[in-house]
Amino acid sequence: MKLDKPTIIVFGATGTVGAEVLKLISKKHCFVRGVLRVPERKPPITLGTFNQNISYVSADLNSKDQLRAICKRGDAIFLLTATSPSQIIYETNIIEVAEELGIKRVVKLSAPVVPNSIFVEVSDWHRRIERVLQKSTLDYCLLQPHSFMQNWERNTFTIKYLGKIFGVMGDAERNYVDARDVAEVAVKYLLKEEILHGEAIVITGPEALSNASMAERISYVIGKKVMYEDISREEFLKQLTKKARMPEWLARHLVEIDLLAQKHPEPKSDTIESILNRKPRIMNAYLQESREKFLPKKWMFFR
């Protein structure tokens, strides 16, 4: 996609990956338009004199008219909407509007492919959206990252106040990749001059880790003993829905990906180096950077 100064539309601009995509691409020779699904949400970069290539727009993703307005005169789209049961509708709407407006490229953040014998609801949503892209005339690629290191922030409450990590993963291992590395891959493909041809890019981090190993690493970083407790599927679902008050679909998803790790071994090495020509960020560095998120407030106050 060779343009003098392309306009890149970033959906999910306030999310874990989308915010990083916006920050990185704002430093490139292009215009960037961050989409805010919730107008009141604080954008990741404050507008000012030195970043006049950035703008923000808000839209109801159910409305194709609003999507047409915000995507008008765009050249490429980073496609990421918040994971939810509405994701298929939202992303299908965006794809159809992009095709209608003649937008040149879509880079979709998707999910790893799982064996046909194992059902993961969220992965199924992504496969359905991918099929919409495959039937379109758009030039696109699919980014298929494994678990984000940043997802460990879902466990901060039980780590802070109970000194425990709960799950149903047993001693299975999961591959973790830093969301910032995923964002860098996304920017590479958004600005790549060559045609993307619907390529699926598997993105893995430097190692696969069990929950017990993660408990040890977090214990060392925060100076407080953290244990992993393997519990039943029913108890884990109850904890997530009743105590953590997660929506049922998200609680089911966390159970499903724990069970997936047991049934389908995850990669033990990264793809980042071959894609970006540099070493990937490592889990220990992420934990050190995020240390305060896992500490009870009184520990933070007196340290």
Side-chain angles (χ1 to χ4, degrees):
M1 188 183 68
K2 193 170 184 179
L3 294 170
D4 178 47
K5 198 168 183 180
T7 295
I8 313 297
I9 302 166
V10 178
F11 283 87
T14 57
T16 303
V17 178
E20 296 298 329
V21 168
L22 190 140
K23 290 174 186 177
L24 288 171
I25 212 162
S26 68
K27 299 174 184 177
K28 305 291 184 180
H29 185 68
C30 58
F31 295 107
V32 58
R33 194 179 299 163
V35 180
L36 309 176
R37 192 165 59 89
V38 180
E40 299 82 11
R41 194 162 183 182
K42 184 179 178 181
I45 300 175
T46 303
L47 299 181
T49 305
F50 300 104
N51 49 23
Q52 294 183 11
N53 61 327
I54 304 174
S55 62
Y56 295 108
V57 290
S58 59
D60 177 354
L61 303 186
N62 281 307
S63 169
K64 285 191 175 181
D65 285 340
Q66 290 190 31
L67 288 171
R68 288 185 190 98
I70 67 172
C71 292
K72 189 175 182 180
R73 301 185 68 81
D75 296 297
I77 287 175
F78 176 64
L79 182 55
L80 168 62
T81 64
T83 303
S84 77
S86 300
Q87 189 169 10
I88 296 172
I89 295 171
Y90 291 162
E91 297 196 7
T92 297
N93 284 344
I94 294 166
I95 292 166
E96 290 175 353
V97 166
E99 189 171 20
E100 176 188 326
L101 295 177
I103 288 173
K104 296 175 176 64
R105 170 168 297 172
V106 171
V107 172
K108 171 175 164 48
L109 188 75
S110 195
V113 174
V114 301
N116 291 332
S117 59
I118 305 172
F119 181 73
V120 177
E121 186 176 25
V122 170
S123 294
D124 182 63
W125 297 345
H126 284 290
R127 299 293 88 82
R128 294 190 196 185
I129 299 163
E130 289 172 4
R131 288 195 287 272
V132 175
L133 267 173
Q134 289 163 3
K135 293 176 182 177
S136 77
T137 58
L138 296 165
D139 179 38
Y140 71 92
C141 72
L142 308 171
L143 307 184
Q144 298 175 335
H146 279 252
S147 298
F148 299 134
M149 294 178 186
Q150 286 76 5
N151 285 349
W152 270 92
E153 292 165 26
R154 291 176 179 147
N155 296 290
T156 54
F157 184 86
T158 60
I159 290 170
K160 283 180 178 182
Y161 301 111
L162 301 177
K164 288 187 177 182
I165 298 163
F166 297 98
V168 293
M169 204 165 79
D171 58 0
E173 297 175 326
R174 179 174 298 145
N175 182 279
Y176 294 99
V177 61
D178 195 299
R180 292 168 293 185
D181 286 348
V182 176
E184 195 169 331
V185 174
V187 171
K188 174 180 176 176
Y189 282 91
L190 282 165
L191 300 179
K192 192 174 183 179
E193 291 188 5
E194 296 82 7
I195 301 296
L196 301 183
H197 296 297
E199 182 181 359
I201 300 104
V202 176
I203 306 176
T204 56
E207 57 186 333
L209 298 166
S210 67
N211 282 347
S213 176
M214 283 299 302
E216 289 179 7
R217 295 182 188 215
I218 294 169
S219 297
Y220 181 77
V221 168
I222 68 174
K224 173 188 174 184
K225 185 66 174 176
V226 176
M227 299 289 291
Y228 171 57
E229 185 174 328
D230 206 60
I231 57 179
S232 71
R233 177 174 178 169
E234 292 73 21
E235 180 59 27
F236 194 34
L237 277 169
K238 183 178 178 181
Q239 282 195 10
L240 295 173
T241 55
K242 303 299 182 184
K243 295 182 180 179
R245 298 188 179 182
M246 287 184 181
E248 289 191 11
W249 69 263
L250 179 55
R252 288 197 307 271
H253 178 62
L254 296 184
V255 171
E256 286 173 350
I257 59 175
D258 266 16
L259 297 175
L260 175 65
Q262 287 186 349
K263 298 174 183 177
H264 183 63
E266 300 206 356
K268 295 181 180 292
S269 60
D270 74 281
T271 59
I272 292 294
E273 187 168 5
S274 63
I275 298 170
L276 298 178
N277 296 315
R278 66 159 176 79
K279 301 287 186 182
R281 290 176 171 88
I282 62 172
M283 178 62 84
N284 286 21
Y286 159 72
L287 290 176
Q288 188 64 45
E289 292 171 20
S290 307
R291 179 175 181 267
E292 290 189 355
K293 295 178 180 179
F294 297 95
L295 286 172
K297 289 183 179 180
K298 63 179 181 179
W299 285 46
M300 293 168 61
F301 184 81
F302 291 111
R303 69 185 172 83

